[in-house]
Amino acid sequence: MKEINDIVKAYREAKGNGLKTALATVVKVEGSSYRQPGARMLVTEDGQLTGAISGGCLEGDALKKAVLAIHQKNNKLITYDTSNPDDVKFGVQLGCNGIVHILFEYIDENAAQNPISLLEKTTEGRNESVITTIFSLEKKNTQIGTIASIINQEVTLLDPNTISETEVLNFSSQVFDGKKNVIKKASSNEILFQYIPPQTTLIIAGAGNDVKPLVETASILGWKIILADGRATHAQKKRFPKADEVLLATPEEIINKIEIDESSIFVLMTHNYNYDLALLKLIIYKPLKYVGLLGPKTKLDRMIEDMASSGMVIGNEELNKLFGPVGLDIGAETSEEIAISIVAEIQAVLNQRKGLSLRDKKEKIHTDIVSN
C-alpha cells in the first residue's frame, strides 16, 4: 500500500509540473526475482523514479523503456531473463535466476480514468481491493494493461470491450477468498489479479520517548499511526510528527474515537498498568490479529488474571492475539532496537510467518502465484 500511495502522490506532482509519465508493473515472474507480480514503479519523462520493480538491477534499463513508452504513447511488455549466465547484462551479474516480465504503460493524464486513477481508488477508505492487469507474453499482441479495480464488489472498468464486469467479479472472487495474487489465462492474454489489503493501522497507547522510534520505524512501512495517551504533557503532535493522529484520551475515549477493524493492531506501552489493563479489557474481543504489551511476561499474566477475576472469559482466541513481552527475540535493549523487534513481529503476524531467519527456511521465500 505504501508503494501505491507513493506512486499516486508522485503522479499528482508530475501532472502538476506538466511531466508525462509511464507505469512499470511486474506482471509475471518465472523462477526467482527480487520483486513479485504487482510491484510497480512510476517513471517521469525527466527520469524520476518512484517505487521499484527490482532491487535496483533492472531500473536503469527500465527507465529507458518507460521513457520510450511515453514518447510513443504506447504500452510495451519487456522480458528480462536473469537466469542466463551468458547474458552479461541481465544474467550472471544479477544472480536472481529468474525471468521477469514487466509491463510499461503510458499514462494519459487527459483521460478521466487511467491506471493511476484505479490505483488511487485502492487508497480510499479501509477496504481490501483487487487490481486487474491484462498482458500478453506474445509481443505482437496489444498490451491492454491495468484495466480494472474491484472494491466492495464494485468494479471500475476502463474499457468494457476488453473484459466484462461479470468476468472481473467472477475471477476476483478467488483472489479475495485466498487473499493472494492470481494469474488467469484468457485466450492469448494473461490477467494478473493483484490482492491489495487495507492499510495497516498501528494504534499505540503511550506517548513516552520510547515510542518515538516505533513511530519512525512504522512510518517507513507506510502504516497509519495513531497515538493515544492520558497525559497532556506527552500527547502532543509536535513530539510525533510522523504520526497521523495524536490523541489525549482515556481508554474509553480511544475506543469511541478510533475505527477498529481487522487491519488494526495495538501496542500498549504507557508504563501505566491500570491504563493498559482498562484498554485491554475494551479491545480484547475486537477483531484484532495483534495486541502487543510492553513489559515482562508476569505483567501479561497478571492482566489475564485480573480480566478473568472481573468475569471476562479469556479463551484461546483472545490469548492468541496477545503478544507479551512484545517483539521478536533479537536481543533488543535500546528503544530503537525494541522498535525494530516490535515492527518485525507485527509484520510476521500479519503475513502469518514465524519470524525465522531466511537462511533456515526450507521453502521458497515468496509464495507461488496461482496460475490457471
Side-chain angles (χ1 to χ4, degrees):
M1 182 59 78
K2 181 181 187 301
E3 188 166 71
I4 292 177
N5 278 321
D6 290 345
I7 286 174
V8 170
K9 180 181 178 181
Y11 172 73
R12 290 173 180 166
E13 292 177 354
K15 185 177 180 180
N17 293 328
L19 294 172
K20 296 187 180 301
T21 60
L23 182 67
T25 304
V26 177
V27 290
K28 190 171 184 178
V29 170
E30 300 167 60
S32 178
S33 175
Y34 187 82
R35 296 299 307 273
Q36 295 298 295
R40 293 182 179 83
M41 179 175 73
L42 185 77
V43 182
T44 63
E45 60 182 322
D46 64 347
Q48 299 177 53
L49 308 178
T50 302
I53 53 171
S54 74
C57 46
L58 300 180
E59 271 71 4
D61 188 77
L63 169 59
K64 300 174 185 177
K65 298 297 192 298
V67 171
L68 182 62
I70 291 173
H71 290 163
Q72 295 180 344
K73 298 184 177 181
N74 201 9
N75 296 347
K76 295 181 178 296
L77 184 85
I78 303 296
T79 297
Y80 295 98
D81 188 350
T82 68
S83 64
N84 185 0
D86 297 324
D87 190 334
V88 297
K89 188 175 184 182
F90 299 116
V92 70
Q93 294 179 341
L94 300 183
C96 295
N97 299 318
I99 300 174
V100 186
H101 304 281
I102 299 176
L103 180 66
F104 294 88
E105 299 178 79
Y106 166 68
I107 304 301
D108 183 359
E109 71 276 10
N110 295 317
Q113 291 185 324
N114 59 37
I116 303 298
S117 69
L118 295 180
L119 295 181
E120 188 171 14
K121 284 184 178 297
T122 69
T123 68
E124 301 169 354
R126 295 185 53 75
N127 299 296
E128 58 182 358
S129 56
V130 168
I131 289 291
T132 302
T133 304
I134 303 178
F135 63 97
S136 176
L137 298 186
E138 298 179 20
K139 302 297 178 63
K140 67 179 186 299
N141 289 351
T142 299
Q143 301 296 336
I144 296 173
T146 305
I147 193 70
S149 67
I150 309 98
I151 305 172
N152 283 339
Q153 296 297 304
E154 180 179 333
V155 178
T156 301
L157 192 58
L158 297 188
D159 185 357
N161 295 318
T162 58
I163 187 172
S164 71
E165 182 174 320
T166 300
E167 287 177 304
V168 171
L169 283 173
N170 289 341
F171 288 153
S172 63
S173 62
Q174 181 182 353
V175 184
F176 282 116
D177 290 342
K179 301 187 185 303
K180 294 180 181 178
N181 296 351
V182 172
I183 294 179
K184 295 279 187 180
K185 292 184 179 180
S187 187
S188 61
N189 289 325
E190 296 186 52
I191 311 173
L192 169 64
F193 291 88
Q194 181 193 1
Y195 174 75
I196 301 175
Q199 182 184 29
T200 296
T201 297
L202 171 62
I203 305 164
I204 306 172
N209 289 338
D210 58 343
V211 174
K212 292 180 179 179
L214 179 56
V215 172
E216 292 285 333
T217 305
S219 69
I220 295 174
L221 298 183
W223 294 349
K224 181 177 181 179
I225 304 168
I226 302 176
L227 263 68
D229 198 296
R231 298 167 293 181
T233 54
H234 289 63
Q236 298 180 12
K237 185 66 169 69
K238 64 181 181 181
R239 299 186 67 237
F240 303 94
K242 295 289 181 67
D244 295 275
E245 296 179 49
V246 178
L247 305 176
L248 175 63
T250 65
E252 292 75 14
E253 289 171 335
I254 292 175
I255 298 301
N256 293 330
K257 292 181 178 180
I258 300 176
E259 178 183 358
I260 299 174
D261 55 30
E262 293 182 349
S263 297
S264 304
I265 50 183
F266 272 82
V267 178
L268 311 185
M269 46 193 309
T270 65
H271 301 278
N272 182 322
Y273 180 85
N274 292 328
Y275 189 105
D276 286 350
L277 177 61
L279 182 55
L280 183 58
K281 286 181 176 181
L282 294 171
I283 64 174
I284 191 63
Y285 298 127
K286 298 288 186 181
L288 303 167
K289 296 184 179 72
Y290 183 99
V291 179
L293 297 100
L294 188 69
K297 184 68 163 60
T298 53
K299 176 183 176 181
L300 174 58
D301 291 340
R302 180 185 169 193
M303 285 183 162
I304 294 173
E305 290 177 2
D306 286 348
M307 286 190 291
S309 298
S310 66
M312 299 180 68
V313 178
I314 309 299
N316 289 333
E317 183 177 350
E318 289 71 41
L319 292 175
N320 287 338
K321 69 180 67 173
L322 298 178
F323 292 81
V326 66
L328 293 182
D329 181 9
I330 60 172
E333 293 290 342
T334 67
S335 56
E336 291 80 7
E337 293 168 347
I338 292 170
I340 292 173
S341 75
I342 293 174
V343 170
E345 182 177 60
I346 293 171
Q347 186 72 8
V349 170
L350 293 179
N351 289 298
Q352 300 179 358
R353 300 297 177 91
K354 297 295 184 182
L356 302 174
S357 294
L358 291 176
R359 181 196 65 180
D360 301 324
K361 187 176 175 65
K362 305 302 181 184
E363 306 83 11
K364 293 173 62 176
I365 295 176
H366 300 290
T367 303
D368 287 333
I369 291 182
V370 176
S371 183
N372 49 42

